[in-house]
Amino acid sequence: MIVDRGLENWKREKLHWLSPGARLGFVPTMGALHEGHATLLRRARQENDAVLLSIFVNPTQFNDPRDLQLYPRPIESDLQLARECGVDRVWLPDYQDLYPDQFNYRIEETSLSRVLCGRTRPGHFTGVLSVVMKLFSLAQVSANPQMQRAYFGEKDFQQLEMIRGMVRAFELPWDIRPVPTVRETDGLALSSRNLRLSPAARRLAPRLYQVLRNEPNLDVARQELERAGFRIDYLEEHPFASGRRRFVAAFLEDVRLIDNVEI
Ligand code: PAF
């Protein structure tokens, strides 16, 4: 597995990395990799000739500076997991590589970015879309979307939908492949944030998914979660082309958990 730090090396290398006709699977991440990421990487491995993983903790998508500061950065174990999943190349850009413009240029979505997570995290999706646009542009090895696929988890369904929308809006040559949410055996959706839960909060956390999935009445679901100790950010249903989904974001102690299910 090759590790490229910075931009210049990667830009040079990617010109002759893949042989003609080889398919690229790209998994952009912020590191702190867990089984959810491993699932994306294994899918990318199965479906492509080469797998590229990027790790960049993107400051422009954090609207809470404390959240950014606390975000785990276990690079050695990330590289180990990447190796185990058969990644060919890991790319580790830094802030200056991705933001030579100091974030003066941005991608803004004006509809879906205003609801659900976008309502209480202003600017979050502008940060996500801007960095994904930059990553796509720099990782691009072909002008043909059949030759390059990017993998995103359904746990961040709103993010996934917006990235799909951006690809359509700007005709970006990427095929977006969604991957179902990976859960612990008790139902809790895997997230890097789960590591920050205290043992008591961790025992409570699976209630979020149970209630989201099993309680048909949203008001009753809200009351149940609040009684259990969650502070609800939102609990709502939202229509998508693929069908209606139900979304929740809630705090346990100071950890914000999100989840969603198809209805
Ligand atoms: O889902 C993530 O890990 C991030 O939001 C992404 C897509 C890598 C952009 O920073």
Side-chain angles (χ1 to χ4, degrees):
M1 187 175 81
I2 299 168
V3 179
D4 292 299
R5 288 170 205 273
L7 187 58
E8 289 318 313
N9 197 42
W10 161 247
K11 271 191 182 160
R12 230 182 3 257
E13 293 280 315
K14 78 166 185 174
L15 295 176
H16 37 79
W17 175 33
L18 300 182
S19 36
R23 282 210 163 106
L24 174 67
F26 178 35
V27 182
T29 74
M30 297 207 299
L33 304 183
H34 49 64
E35 194 49 36
H37 298 106
T39 308
L40 302 181
L41 292 168
R42 286 193 208 106
R43 265 281 299 277
R45 178 73 281 163
Q46 276 162 16
E47 296 178 357
N48 302 283
D49 304 299
V51 178
L52 171 68
L53 161 71
S54 70
I55 300 179
F56 175 67
V57 181
N58 176 34
T60 66
Q61 70 187 77
F62 285 82
N63 51 318
D64 174 357
R66 199 177 120 77
D67 204 19
L68 173 60
Q69 195 195 343
L70 290 176
Y71 201 85
R73 293 164 171 84
I75 188 66
E76 286 314 318
S77 57
D78 283 353
L79 294 179
Q80 184 54 33
L81 188 106
R83 252 179 233 109
E84 285 163 18
C85 293
V87 169
D88 297 296
R89 261 196 134 96
V90 183
W91 176 39
L92 307 171
D94 65 22
Y95 183 83
Q96 204 45 39
D97 292 330
L98 293 181
Y99 291 102
D101 62 322
Q102 305 305 316
F103 199 36
N104 287 334
Y105 291 82
R106 303 169 183 203
I107 301 290
E108 197 186 348
E109 196 276 356
T110 57
S111 173
L112 185 54
S113 69
R114 306 282 159 90
V115 299
L116 302 171
C117 281
R119 203 161 40 226
T120 45
R121 301 188 68 191
H124 168 67
F125 287 113
T126 298
V128 170
L129 293 180
S130 302
V131 82
V132 171
M133 177 65 110
K134 286 163 187 269
L135 291 168
F136 277 179
S137 159
L138 291 163
Q140 182 172 334
V141 289
S142 165
N144 180 353
Q146 282 170 12
M147 302 312 290
Q148 46 189 24
R149 294 149 171 177
Y151 293 78
F152 294 91
E154 287 186 347
K155 157 131 187 309
D156 296 302
F157 195 87
Q158 192 178 3
Q159 164 177 289
L160 166 68
E161 273 299 309
M162 254 179 272
I163 291 170
R164 276 175 171 150
M166 178 175 81
V167 165
R168 278 194 301 271
F170 294 101
E171 295 241 16
L172 304 177
W174 286 91
D175 178 6
I176 304 300
R177 302 253 155 153
V179 178
T181 304
V182 182
R183 299 182 181 279
E184 302 279 6
T185 45
D186 59 14
L188 177 64
L190 293 194
S191 161
S192 312
R193 292 205 166 92
N194 295 352
L195 293 173
R196 284 170 45 203
L197 294 168
S198 71
R202 175 63 190 81
R203 279 194 295 277
L204 205 56
R207 291 287 296 147
L208 197 63
Y209 175 56
Q210 286 156 14
V211 173
L212 188 69
R213 200 182 52 165
N214 298 328
E215 175 47 63
N217 182 307
L218 282 180
D219 290 332
V220 177
R222 172 180 282 272
Q223 283 159 21
E224 257 190 62
L225 287 171
E226 284 174 347
R227 252 200 319 274
F230 290 89
R231 185 160 54 83
I232 309 280
D233 182 354
Y234 61 80
L235 173 58
E236 291 171 30
E237 291 176 3
H238 198 86
F240 287 95
S242 54
R244 236 178 136 69
R245 292 187 91 88
R246 191 181 248 206
F247 293 83
V248 69
F251 289 88
L252 258 187
E253 298 166 343
D254 65 340
V255 183
R256 187 172 182 276
L257 301 173
I258 60 170
D259 206 342
N260 70 89
V261 289
E262 202 177 4
I263 302 176

